[in-house]
Amino acid sequence: MKKVTGLALALFIPALCFQTALAQEDKAALVPLPSLDDFSRGEDGWSFGLGLGVEYESAYEGSDEFGFEAQPAGAVQWRSGDNIFYFAGEALGWRGLRDDKWLLEATLGFDEGREESDSDEGHLDGLGTTDEGVELVLQARRAFDADWRYWLDGRVVAGENGSLGIFGVGRRFGERTDGSGSEFSVVAVFHDSDLANEQFGVNSMQAAASGLDETYLSGGFRSIGAHYNYRNYINDNWQIFGEVLYERYSSDITDSPVARNDYEAEVGIGFIYVF
């Protein structure tokens, strides 16, 4: 979920694909939000998209090191009316539209955890490895109208390593209903003490091994974030997508010796072929 270059990306991509998007037949997505994969072309049954993205992002939570990483993109989906069931990478989920204004979603996935080697400069040495864990994501979005021009968003992420709560508001740009266009959202993020200490805490053993001060955090407000998403069709089968994410940490996190930056950021771009 990474710097100012993302703003240039956000301005450049729409110009690149403007003409090709006009030629794409406007087939209604389940919800016309560019942040959501929907390869169904408005029809029931199986659909499939496969692609690749490249992200420039923080090496780990609170890191001041950045690097490029390639990520697979796409999903296998099955649509039945106002419901889509999907498998995307390590995530298995369901998404459903109710009364044209409520989008409900449940996803079972994995938290990748953190390894000492995630820091090339050795800033995580002595902190050990946090294990990958199963997590359940429950989400509800409420549109102000059937066009999904503005919406409210609430998410709960519950996992083996702790829990997050995310609350936000978003705005969709563009007139098409096929999932192309762009959107911008602002969110407030809260975490419990388990997750706070998993990512930013330093226990007595870690302090002895790393030389960092022993640090324990309580749950509560984690950050304020902004997220920009873009998606467009190059032709009948190819999609281009991009995103820019910025998360500003609270003072409790920035006081932790694990956090070497007061923010996390990400810029990504990629392509998907829709079969």
Side-chain angles (χ1 to χ4, degrees):
M1 210 202 270
K2 290 184 175 179
K3 289 192 176 181
V4 180
T5 52
L7 298 178
L9 177 70
L11 295 174
F12 170 73
I13 295 177
L16 175 68
C17 298
F18 178 71
Q19 294 298 328
T20 54
L22 291 178
Q24 176 73 18
E25 184 181 354
D26 191 7
K27 298 180 179 180
L30 181 67
V31 177
L33 297 180
S35 59
L36 302 176
D37 286 332
D38 185 346
F39 307 131
S40 68
R41 304 180 189 272
E43 301 175 354
D44 286 356
W46 290 101
S47 57
F48 179 54
L50 181 64
L52 184 70
V54 177
E55 299 174 349
Y56 183 72
E57 60 183 352
S58 304
Y60 56 90
E61 304 282 351
S63 174
D64 60 355
E65 303 170 56
F66 291 81
F68 289 96
E69 183 176 0
Q71 295 280 359
V76 178
Q77 301 177 338
W78 185 76
R79 180 168 178 172
S80 177
D82 288 335
N83 299 280
I84 289 179
F85 300 86
Y86 59 88
F87 176 71
E90 295 182 328
L92 181 67
W94 160 82
R95 184 181 302 141
L97 181 65
R98 299 294 181 268
D99 298 326
D100 292 327
K101 295 182 180 180
W102 281 98
L103 177 67
L104 306 177
E105 187 165 5
T107 306
L108 188 66
F110 291 91
D111 174 13
E112 296 180 353
R114 185 187 67 198
E115 299 180 358
E116 291 186 1
S117 60
D118 288 345
S119 173
D120 292 335
E121 298 180 10
H123 297 314
L124 298 177
D125 290 353
L127 296 182
T129 297
T130 60
D131 295 331
E132 183 180 78
V134 177
E135 63 181 18
L136 175 65
V137 182
L138 300 176
Q139 180 175 8
R141 296 193 193 190
R142 173 64 162 84
F144 290 99
D145 55 40
D147 291 334
W148 285 83
R149 185 65 57 196
Y150 297 93
W151 74 91
L152 296 174
D153 183 19
R155 274 171 282 172
V156 175
V157 183
E160 296 179 81
N161 298 325
S163 301
L164 277 176
I166 304 172
F167 307 94
V169 60
R171 165 74 156 90
R172 179 175 73 91
F173 302 91
E175 301 299 325
R176 302 175 63 83
T177 61
D178 59 358
S180 62
S182 61
E183 66 182 76
F184 179 79
S185 60
V186 177
V187 299
V189 185
F190 300 83
H191 56 190
D192 64 10
S193 59
D194 289 340
L195 186 61
N197 286 291
E198 180 79 7
Q199 295 178 337
F200 300 103
V202 181
N203 61 35
S204 57
M205 293 181 60
Q206 291 173 322
S210 66
L212 300 177
D213 292 337
E214 194 170 339
T215 303
Y216 292 93
L217 288 81
S218 59
F221 177 66
R222 170 192 172 99
S223 62
I224 188 77
H227 198 179
Y228 174 86
N229 279 278
Y230 173 83
R231 186 182 302 270
N232 220 322
Y233 285 90
I234 298 175
N235 55 38
D236 285 343
N237 297 101
W238 282 101
Q239 291 183 3
I240 184 173
F241 65 91
E243 68 172 341
V244 181
L245 183 148
Y246 179 84
E247 183 182 2
R248 182 79 175 193
Y249 292 132
S250 68
S251 58
D252 286 347
I253 293 178
T254 57
D255 288 342
S256 165
V258 178
R260 303 183 61 85
N261 238 344
D262 56 7
Y263 69 91
E264 181 182 353
E266 177 182 323
V267 175
I269 185 173
F271 297 88
I272 294 178
Y273 185 85
V274 181
F275 292 84

